[in-house]
Amino acid sequence: MSDLVRSTPTAFFRELLRQACDEQKVLPSESAEFYLVRLLESFIRHDQGLLDRPLALAYLESLDGDPPERYQRLKRVGDTALFVSGVFTESLESKTVGPDYYTSLGGLAYRDLASLPGTPLGKGVTALFTEMSARFLDFVRVLSQMSLDELFTSDRDTLRIYRRWVVTRGARDADALMRRGIIPFAPKRQLVQ
């Protein structure tokens, strides 16, 4: 049994995250790395459907309320969009709106968090959520790498890799597609700002 299997969820996800960051050449800040590990841990215990309710409605609801309430709602939108976009990209293919919409919505939620007045945790949170917003697609690629390599190794089909590449444009996914005889091509996309 490997040391990772016997380790705590925190150590397990930190190791996988660092490996994926190295593979994707993404260097998160210390606070972003910690945040991503905690995000993965939180979804281990998530007991209801992530997308039972449209995420856009949750975002719209986050526009009202006092700052602590808005903070929690925006955080949930950003975290859900990041997790689903990174780990379950293919689950978005059958939805009315696709992966690009979720990545845009997640980045927007984190940007709103960074500028939320009266944030209870101060400037450190502002810097963290600014990074989470600005590097949202980098972090989607990292979570995708973790999913592809370690979390769901039985799902290494070509279509899944291609769908992930369409969202993230990650070099590793492009290499995997090319090794399978597929030249990755998709029109340029524009993110909602």
Side-chain angles (χ1 to χ4, degrees), residues 172-191:
R172 180 131 195 252
D173 288 337
D175 290 343
L177 289 169
M178 289 181 51
R179 283 194 307 274
R180 292 167 187 209
I182 296 173
I183 298 171
F185 174 79
K188 288 188 177 192
R189 59 183 152 73
Q190 294 180 341
L191 294 177

Side-chain angles (χ1 to χ4, degrees), residues 8-108:
T8 65
T10 301
F12 175 74
F13 285 126
R14 182 180 299 126
E15 182 62 29
L16 291 181
L17 181 72
R18 286 179 177 169
Q19 289 171 3
C21 284
D22 287 346
E23 287 280 329
Q24 291 296 320
K25 299 187 181 8
V26 171
L27 183 61
S29 67
E30 193 173 306
S31 59
E33 179 182 307
F34 178 78
Y35 188 84
L36 290 168
V37 168
R38 300 299 287 179
L39 175 120
L40 290 165
E41 287 180 310
S42 73
F43 281 104
I44 288 176
R45 299 183 266 306
H46 204 282
D47 59 352
Q48 53 181 298
L50 294 175
L51 299 176
D52 286 347
R53 186 166 178 264
L55 203 53
L57 290 178
Y59 177 77
L60 287 174
E61 289 171 353
S62 74
L63 300 177
D64 290 327
D66 60 350
E69 186 178 357
R70 290 190 64 211
Y71 174 88
Q72 290 303 320
R73 288 177 180 172
L74 285 167
K75 184 176 177 308
R76 184 176 185 324
V77 169
D79 290 353
T80 301
L82 179 58
F83 184 77
V84 172
S85 298
V87 178
F88 298 112
T89 304
E90 68 282 352
S91 72
L92 301 176
E93 296 297 328
S94 63
K95 302 291 182 190
T96 304
V97 293
D100 288 339
Y101 179 79
Y102 281 88
T103 57
S104 294
L105 188 60
L108 183 62

Side-chain angles (χ1 to χ4, degrees), residues 12-13 16-17 19-21 24 40 82-91 139-157 160-161 164 168 172-173:
F12 175 74
F13 285 126
L16 291 181
L17 181 72
Q19 289 171 3
C21 284
Q24 291 296 320
L40 290 165
L82 179 58
F83 184 77
V84 172
S85 298
V87 178
F88 298 112
T89 304
E90 68 282 352
S91 72
F139 298 141
V140 167
R141 277 197 343 263
V142 167
L143 294 183
S144 296
Q145 182 74 48
M146 291 173 66
S147 174
L148 184 64
D149 285 349
E150 299 292 336
L151 300 178
F152 302 105
T153 56
S154 64
D155 283 342
R156 289 185 179 210
D157 63 292
R160 179 176 179 181
I161 295 169
R164 189 181 317 275
T168 67
R172 180 131 195 252
D173 288 337

